[in-house]
Amino acid sequence: MDPYSAEGELVNIHTAFHQAQYGTVVDFDTSSFSPSNTLPARVLKLRAQIALGNYDEAISGVQGEESTPDLAAVKAFAEYSKDPWDSEETVQAVEQLVQQEPDNLNVQLLCGSVLANAGRKDEALALLSRHQGSLDAVALIVQIYLQQNRTDLAAREAKSARGFAQDSLLVNLAEPWVGLREGGEKYQQAFYVFEELAQAPASTSPTSLIAQAVAELHLGRLPESEVALQQALEKQPEHPDAIANSIVLNTILGNETEELRARLGTVAAKHEFLVGVQARREAFAAACERYNPKFEP
């Protein structure tokens, strides 16, 4: 059973988390929650701290409690997020935790995220497939499929979730994620969802503004995309995804991006945009080495 279902007392803090209202989640009053929901609520608060970049606070917040699988998963996820470059020991801890507690939902979500980010996406999918009706797991599975360029599988997963969770925020988000890959009229449909989240005072956040900007970009509305990205950066100047998408937008506009690239390298040196650019640069250099033009005298 999904502890974050719409019928439970966790619904508001869970919704705030997935609207990227991380400050709201951290400050959420959970004192009246039932004992069975205390741990899931605490995990959400810790995940919000990690999303805000407060890695040390999250790690110290679970120090000495690693015997609880949920909190051990939080610690591993925080350690990996803090320093993905030096993560061998953390990934080994994740492997051990997965072997011991493969059916724990937070182990599935947080360790699955670590495995996916470490490039072991098939292992992450195998772990997440063990979930029991968790929309959080479904959303993460959709994201991993999209990273693998398996839009067909991502669409199938989102459609399946719609069958048992008609009004879920996560399903409403997963469908436009897929739509941005499918293209065509789906761009406009995705824009409507993201704009509603981005412009509503209760749900606006850098994340929703970035999503709106990306949809605008696909629709060819470059000035509108630029405005949304500027709003996201005003809310969180060092947001890696806002900076990365600003690089893309400014490249399309023909503007200089060197300062933005340097800024992203400082904020998130292993951001997928920078990793992808470097991989393509190396592939191009390798191709050039194999090409030996011959010139006739």
Side-chain angles (χ1 to χ4, degrees), residues 1-18 25 28-45 70 105-106 136 169:
M1 178 181 175
D2 189 346
Y4 305 118
S5 64
E7 294 77 21
E9 62 184 348
L10 292 168
V11 61
N12 290 331
I13 187 173
H14 184 247
T15 297
F17 180 83
H18 286 293
V25 175
F28 204 97
D29 182 7
T30 60
S31 59
S32 63
F33 282 9
S34 61
S36 62
N37 285 327
T38 300
L39 182 58
R42 183 182 175 191
V43 169
L44 282 176
K45 284 174 169 281
D70 306 73
L105 177 58
N106 283 311
D136 290 69
L169 171 64

Side-chain angles (χ1 to χ4, degrees), residues 105-269:
L105 177 58
N106 283 311
V107 170
Q108 292 170 356
L109 296 175
L110 299 176
C111 293
S113 295
V114 171
L115 291 172
N117 289 328
R120 295 163 60 171
K121 293 181 172 57
D122 288 339
E123 293 175 61
L125 288 169
L127 175 63
L128 288 162
S129 69
R130 300 174 67 97
H131 78 89
Q132 299 294 317
S134 167
L135 290 174
D136 290 69
V138 169
L140 188 51
I141 289 170
V142 169
Q143 290 180 341
I144 294 172
Y145 279 143
L146 291 174
Q147 290 173 353
Q148 294 180 317
N149 293 316
R150 290 304 309 268
T151 305
D152 56 330
L153 297 180
R156 188 176 69 185
E157 193 74 23
K159 183 178 180 180
S160 174
R162 175 64 73 186
F164 65 87
Q166 283 291 331
D167 299 319
S168 165
L169 171 64
L170 280 172
V171 177
N172 289 338
L173 287 171
E175 289 176 338
W177 294 340
V178 175
L180 288 178
R181 288 294 186 88
E182 292 176 328
E185 63 182 18
K186 297 293 181 66
Y187 287 146
Q188 189 66 44
Q189 294 172 9
F191 166 75
Y192 288 140
V193 174
F194 295 138
E195 183 197 35
E196 182 177 356
L197 285 172
Q199 301 307 319
S203 59
T204 187
S205 69
T207 300
S208 58
L209 285 163
I210 293 166
Q212 178 188 336
V214 171
E216 300 269 25
L217 191 61
H218 281 296
L219 290 165
R221 302 199 288 248
L222 303 188
E224 292 86 347
S225 179
E226 185 173 19
V227 169
L229 286 173
Q230 288 174 345
Q231 291 175 343
L233 288 168
E234 287 171 6
K235 288 181 176 291
Q236 190 174 337
E238 303 305 318
H239 196 296
D241 290 339
I243 299 171
N245 282 284
S246 294
I247 294 172
V248 174
L249 175 62
N250 279 278
T251 299
I252 295 171
L253 292 171
N255 298 333
E256 177 57 54
T257 62
E258 183 175 347
E259 182 179 342
L260 285 168
R261 288 173 184 265
R263 187 171 159 193
L264 181 58
T266 300
V267 172

